[in-house]
Amino acid sequence: MSADTVVRPRRNTLRPVWEEQPSLLGQLGKGTILTLVVAVVVVPLWVVVVTSLSSEKTINSAGGYVFLPREFNPSAYVVIFSGGQITDAILVSTIVTLAGTALSLVVTVLAAYGLSRPGTLGHRPILFYFLLTFLIYPGMIPSYLVVTGLGLKDNLLSLILPTAISAFNLVVLRAFFMSIPGELYDSARMDGAGELRVLTRIVLPLSKAVTAVVGLFYAVGYWNAFFNAILYIDRNDLQPVQRVLQQFILAGQSPASSGAAVAIPGLGSTVPPSLAIKMAVVVVTIVPALIIYPFVQRHFTKGVIIGAVKG
Amino acid sequence: MSAPPVAEPQSTAVRAKKKVKAVSRQQLSFGQRLRRDWPLLLMCFPAMALLLVFHYLPALGNIIAFQDYNPFVGDDPLEAFLYSEWIGFGNFEYLFKTQAFWDSVTTTLSITAFQLVFYFPIPIALAVLLNSIMSPRIRSLVQSIVYLPHFFSWVLVVSLFQMMLGGAGLLAQTLRQAGHTPPEIMTNPDTFMFLITSEAIWKDAGWGMIVFLAALAAIDPSLYEAAAADGAGRWRRMWHITLPGLRSVIVLLLILRLGDALNVGFEQFVLQREMVGREAAEVVDTYVYYQGIAVQQWGVGAAAGLFKAAVGILLIVGANKLAHRFGEQGIYSKR
């Protein structure tokens, strides 16, 4: 029997030929599990968003959280963005995240590039210096003493500087820089380019994806900063969003009592229900991650695996 | 020399070039190397300085564990450090005699053990399940959704749990409307272990899949085909090919987890300590915080932190030895 007499059935599946037909029960089981897993993540977020956009009437008739969207009522967002503690917190977190991520990225990229060529002066001891941070932890109390000793209490730098460098991110970036063919460096240097020029003109354009992932990791870290704020920030107008979230949701403080629910221009005197305001705060803490996430998501595996293999 | 003759000239050329390079590097003096490499050194400097001040200096500062540290004997922490009295192992003696400290150690270890059993296998199972889904579209959809909570802060995760399962949460609201009394979930110390593990799973189990998915993708598909041709069914293929393919990653992560046995997270517990009470939620890290910063027994807190770090290093070295004994690579290889 020769191969060309065999009529191949048209297959509409990616399943390899040798694999047996999936059983109906198995497929159903897998489908159910995956749907459940996805629902467990999505449903809470859905409820939060819908409730944050609901009016007092809807919330009262639902008895609290709203599941089915019936209206689009952004008054809760108007309130939290129209001054008061929540607006301050959003501003503080935005500043810390932008400034912190910029600083972290610049410093980390520079160091990763400086370490990307084995054999240069001091390469091994400097690398060791960075890797040692994985093994030696600073400890909470001495850190507190150092930061307060530097006079950074109630200073936004206290939310940035102590967490500015992650040796893990540095190792990830360095591993990627090292994988760039050396000929590219050599040719650029032949043309008289200095190190900084090589870095900005050749290395960075080639490693946009990894740099983006590292940037996301840093940004998420700054946006989520919570405990350093407990330690170092006492002033109310310098608290980041995570602190506000904790005060409203977990400590049960009412947003109305915090000076947020001032008279809203254009919306009459109707103060939106405090549940909606709470939910709007939750949404605001989630949204930045949601915005950047899709752009870098496809590069995660690369970044994480490089770090795991070469670290 | 078994290399094909065509490749021969090129490879010798490369080797020759390498040799020249190596020789010339050796001949450079320190000054010449410094002149060549100073820009690179300068680039490393800002990161090194930041780590020196905010990582190594506080790490060094752990020696206040051997002091009766009193911040009020000087104008700043450094001066206070210089003037504080050295008391040797006094803080450790006090610590080891304190029941609350041992309670926190016990709680931490039981959380680690509990999560090793009920949390650790979940990313593996999820990854194997997702890997068996053929459609790339469904796969990437599920991945992007379950990775997401990893980027949420603990405040947000605990808040979401509170809003869903808490006393005024969605579940309680639904149950009340149906005429039932809602159970206490967020404030019950007896079920706290389940609660924190569920939170950890919700936040990080999806993200934990990444490593396993990569390991699964690295398994040679022809192994599966050969096994199928030999008559191995779906489960046998999973047992004899998939799981061995994941073995070294699993061992690696187990070692890391064991080394972190006293590290079960901090913010998650600080946030919920008030709700369920100290007895269920006091882990070593929260003990350090409350002893050191809240009660201002700085030396005792630092001693507890140092104890934790020392045990962590011992555990990781021990676990790695164990891995070598089982023929795995571990996190660092044998010398």
Side-chain angles (χ1 to χ4, degrees), chain A residues 9-288:
Chain A
R10 283 176 64 86
R11 299 176 77 248
N12 204 8
T13 163
L14 295 160
R15 183 163 47 84
V17 222
W18 46 264
E19 200 175 313
E20 51 276 70
Q21 280 282 345
S23 69
L24 183 66
L25 202 68
Q27 293 292 83
L28 266 179
K30 280 184 198 171
T32 319
I33 296 177
L34 285 185
T35 316
L36 273 179
V37 166
V38 167
V40 162
V41 176
V42 172
V43 167
L45 303 180
W46 169 259
V47 171
V48 166
V49 172
V50 171
T51 310
S52 77
L53 290 168
S54 296
S55 67
E56 178 137 38
K57 216 175 97 199
T58 321
I59 288 180
N60 282 342
S61 72
Y65 294 90
V66 186
F67 202 83
L68 299 169
R70 266 177 244 152
E71 66 209 316
F72 184 85
N73 182 347
S75 56
Y77 293 90
V78 176
V79 169
I80 64 173
F81 280 108
S82 59
Q85 196 192 349
I86 306 175
T87 316
D88 285 348
I90 294 168
L91 213 64
V92 164
S93 278
T94 310
I95 292 170
V96 166
T97 304
L98 290 180
T101 309
L103 175 80
S104 292
L105 262 186
V106 169
V107 173
T108 311
V109 162
L110 282 177
Y113 179 77
L115 283 173
S116 65
R117 261 168 291 150
T120 51
L121 186 66
H123 176 264
R124 284 178 66 91
I126 297 178
L127 183 63
F128 183 74
Y129 178 91
F130 284 117
L131 292 183
L132 199 62
T133 58
F134 286 126
L135 210 59
I136 296 180
Y137 298 122
M140 183 192 301
I141 288 163
S143 297
Y144 177 82
L145 294 175
V146 167
V147 173
T148 48
L150 289 171
L152 293 181
K153 192 132 189 167
D154 274 335
N155 186 328
L156 290 187
L157 282 178
S158 68
L159 301 182
I160 295 179
L161 296 179
T163 49
I165 303 287
S166 138
F168 176 81
N169 288 340
L170 193 130
V171 167
V172 168
L173 269 179
R174 169 179 177 267
F176 192 84
F177 289 171
M178 284 175 78
S179 71
I180 295 173
E183 285 80 3
L184 282 175
Y185 296 115
D186 293 342
S187 67
R189 220 163 292 125
M190 214 83 86
D191 294 340
E195 298 291 357
L196 208 58
R197 224 178 149 77
V198 175
L199 173 62
T200 51
R201 294 293 163 82
I202 295 176
V203 175
L204 278 183
L206 283 173
S207 32
K208 274 185 215 140
V210 189
T211 315
V213 174
V214 167
L216 173 82
F217 286 161
Y218 276 130
V220 165
Y222 285 120
W223 184 261
N224 287 347
F226 164 69
F227 195 69
N228 279 352
I230 288 198
L231 289 181
Y232 306 131
I233 306 285
D234 289 337
R235 262 168 61 182
N236 255 341
D237 55 333
L238 288 182
Q239 299 291 352
V241 279
Q242 306 291 341
R243 281 281 279 153
V244 173
L245 187 65
Q246 181 229 0
Q247 281 165 12
F248 288 168
I249 310 288
L250 297 176
Q253 210 180 91
S254 161
S257 68
S258 68
V262 284
I264 317 141
L267 279 171
S269 61
T270 46
V271 174
S274 64
L275 189 64
I277 298 182
K278 282 184 184 177
M279 295 305 112
V281 176
V282 176
V283 172
V284 164
T285 56
I286 299 176
V287 158

Side-chain angles (χ1 to χ4, degrees), chain A residues 65 121 129 136 242 293 297, chain B residues 37 48 55-56 144 153 173:
Chain A
Y65 294 90
L121 186 66
Y129 178 91
I136 296 180
Q242 306 291 341
Y293 183 71
Q297 194 242 45
Chain B
D37 294 335
M48 292 174 74
H55 198 102
Y56 285 119
S144 18
S153 65
Q173 173 192 326

Side-chain angles (χ1 to χ4, degrees), chain B residues 81-220:
Chain B
F81 166 73
L82 291 175
Y83 293 133
S84 285
E85 193 190 344
W86 292 91
I87 53 166
F89 286 91
N91 288 325
F92 290 90
E93 272 168 34
Y94 171 82
L95 197 64
F96 295 153
K97 269 189 261 165
T98 311
Q99 190 55 37
F101 171 69
W102 290 116
D103 287 347
S104 76
V105 173
T106 320
T107 311
T108 312
L109 289 178
S110 41
I111 290 171
T112 298
F114 189 83
Q115 296 198 340
L116 269 181
V117 177
F118 291 99
Y119 173 31
F120 192 78
I122 287 180
I124 305 174
L126 261 184
V128 171
L129 173 67
L130 203 60
N131 198 50
S132 76
I133 303 289
M134 283 297 155
S135 152
R137 207 178 298 163
I138 295 182
R139 256 205 296 203
S140 67
L141 179 76
V142 173
Q143 268 171 285
S144 18
I145 291 175
V146 298
Y147 288 170
L148 189 60
H150 173 74
F151 297 98
F152 294 169
S153 65
W154 271 116
V155 187
L156 183 57
V157 173
V158 175
S159 297
L160 284 171
F161 267 73
Q162 171 84 3
M163 292 183 301
M164 294 301 118
L165 308 175
L170 183 66
L171 180 73
Q173 173 192 326
T174 319
L175 283 178
R176 253 185 232 116
Q177 280 162 2
H180 302 285
T181 346
E184 260 186 42
I185 298 173
M186 300 297 291
T187 48
N188 188 346
D190 300 327
T191 53
F192 185 61
M193 200 83 102
F194 290 95
L195 177 68
I196 49 159
T197 308
S198 318
E199 288 167 357
I201 290 173
W202 191 84
K203 186 178 193 287
D204 280 328
W207 181 253
M209 286 194 323
I210 286 193
V211 190
F212 296 109
L213 283 175
L216 285 170
I219 295 176
D220 185 354

